Amino acid sequence: MQPSASDTTGKLADPAAASTLPPQTGQTIGDLLSAKGLSWAWYAGSWNTASSDRTVIYNNKVPNLQSHHQPFNYYAAFDPVAHPDARAAHLKDFDSDFLKDVAAGTLPAVSFYKPQGNLNQHPGYASVADGDAHIADVLAKLQASPQWKNMLVVVTYDENGGFYDHATVPKGDRWGPGTRIPALIVSPFAKKGFVDKTQYDTGSTLRFITHRWSLPGAEIFTNNKATELALPLVEANVPFKIHIVKDRDMKERLCLEVERLRLSAMIMGSRGFGANDIRGIISKGKLGSVSDYCVKNCICPVVVVRYPQEDEYGDGAVEKKRRLRLNCHRYRRRSTSIMMPMS
């Protein structure tokens, strides 16, 4: 963190120091948002203080800014000397900028916020209680903002904190997945009291931003996901075609595509969002609004598969999932079409 001897502004790190990361030039989510003309900002606790006083960085005292928690700071596009305007527009302070923007209803389309070190709940140098109180305070301010009615907040972490977790870590490689981390969705659009047991990772938030704002890369994710879903058909040597379907109203669009492609049957998943109770069709089950519509309106038979939940099936959930996969392998058709929705 020593300043460069050749930099008279005192804003650049010493490039000769072993701890100095060379300016990064890779594409970021910020670049994609800017290219689309969308506003965004990274807010950081004690950012202004640390910018003028390096002694508060990694000092294990309040505010204890963690510079490696400020990812955009390491990119050439936000060089404080070469690109001061871009830096000022996108890298901002919590106290002087974030709180003001929240109260005024002027937060950008996409906002990131990283608390200062003593509030980030990191084991060893931060308090869990102080962090919880800070999260509650920030959420209360966001809920009082004029923008709240259109807001979605994701509260999550970069690691699990080192405490015991009874859940088995999914198989992966040396880079992950790791142990579970908390993630809270707070929004007027969120399903109240709902616990989603789908496996996500830290890239899921960026995926959501990419999808919400139709940024480049959304199609790549969809194609990869469709290929993943088709894996049982590949393994079973069942011919298939992939059709990417994109529409704001997927209910009617799926039914129209079924008719256009002349499908003899459709198999679709349901997670129960916007669910209607359908006792008698699936015991103790619910269909989401899209699957419910397709069941009632598609011209072909519709098979709805609900992913087994532990609270529904208990210890037998894993076995039911295995049987479901085996049944997919045994299913034989001359040709199969996979429609991948993009709402």
Side-chain angles (χ1 to χ4, degrees), residues 7-8 20 59 77 80 87 92 108 159 169 173 178-179 190 194 196 208 224 246 276 326 339 343:
D7 173 35
T8 58
T20 299
N59 67 352
R87 188 178 182 87
K92 299 188 175 186
E159 56 200 7
V169 176
D173 54 28
T179 49
F194 179 72
D196 188 355
F208 172 79
N224 291 342
K246 184 176 182 179
N276 294 315
L326 288 176
M339 291 190 293
S343 56

Side-chain angles (χ1 to χ4, degrees), residues 82-310:
H83 303 289
D85 292 342
R87 188 178 182 87
H90 297 294
L91 307 189
K92 299 188 175 186
D93 184 71
F94 173 76
D95 291 306
S96 61
D97 298 313
F98 181 81
L99 295 180
K100 180 184 66 176
D101 291 342
V102 169
T106 56
L107 283 172
V110 177
S111 302
F112 302 93
Y113 167 51
K114 179 66 179 182
Q116 61 196 45
N118 66 299
L119 297 175
N120 69 12
Q121 299 185 313
H122 194 287
Y125 63 78
S127 163
V128 173
D130 288 347
D132 281 347
H134 181 64
I135 292 172
D137 181 62
V138 171
L139 289 175
K141 287 180 169 60
L142 290 172
Q143 290 173 326
S145 171
Q147 294 172 293
W148 173 247
K149 63 181 182 296
N150 298 315
M151 194 179 297
L152 182 143
V153 181
V154 180
V155 182
T156 190
Y157 297 73
D158 63 349
E159 56 200 7
N160 74 319
F163 295 103
Y164 174 79
D165 187 352
H166 69 278
T168 302
V169 176
K171 291 184 178 180
D173 54 28
R174 62 182 297 185
W175 307 115
T179 49
R180 297 184 301 175
I181 57 175
L184 304 175
I185 307 299
V186 186
S187 170
F189 304 103
K191 189 173 182 179
K192 187 175 181 179
F194 179 72
V195 178
D196 188 355
K197 297 184 179 180
T198 305
Q199 181 180 320
Y200 300 100
D201 60 33
T202 49
S204 299
T205 304
L206 296 183
R207 161 59 188 159
F208 172 79
I209 296 171
T210 300
H211 180 71
R212 167 62 183 86
W213 298 108
S214 300
L215 303 178
E219 293 79 8
I220 296 175
F221 175 88
T222 303
N223 290 335
N224 291 342
K225 192 64 177 179
T227 302
E228 178 185 329
L229 291 173
L231 184 59
L233 299 174
V234 174
E235 295 174 347
N237 294 319
V238 177
F240 66 91
K241 293 181 180 180
I242 295 177
H243 300 270
I244 305 298
V245 181
K246 184 176 182 179
D247 203 311
R248 288 189 177 275
D249 186 355
M250 290 306 304
K251 299 190 292 291
E252 292 188 8
R253 180 61 185 274
L254 285 174
C255 290
L256 290 173
E257 289 297 313
V258 165
E259 186 173 357
R260 184 179 71 84
L261 296 171
R262 299 180 180 180
L263 300 183
S264 57
M266 180 166 69
I267 303 174
M268 64 187 306
S270 176
R271 293 170 59 193
F273 294 124
N276 294 315
D277 199 347
I278 55 163
R279 296 181 182 87
I281 298 179
I282 299 178
S283 177
K284 296 183 180 180
K286 291 183 178 181
L287 289 185
S289 58
V290 175
S291 53
D292 181 63
Y293 182 92
C294 291
V295 166
K296 296 175 180 177
N297 294 280
C298 278
I299 62 173
C300 70
V302 177
V303 178
V304 180
V305 180
R306 294 188 68 239
Y307 197 71
Q309 299 291 324
E310 292 178 5

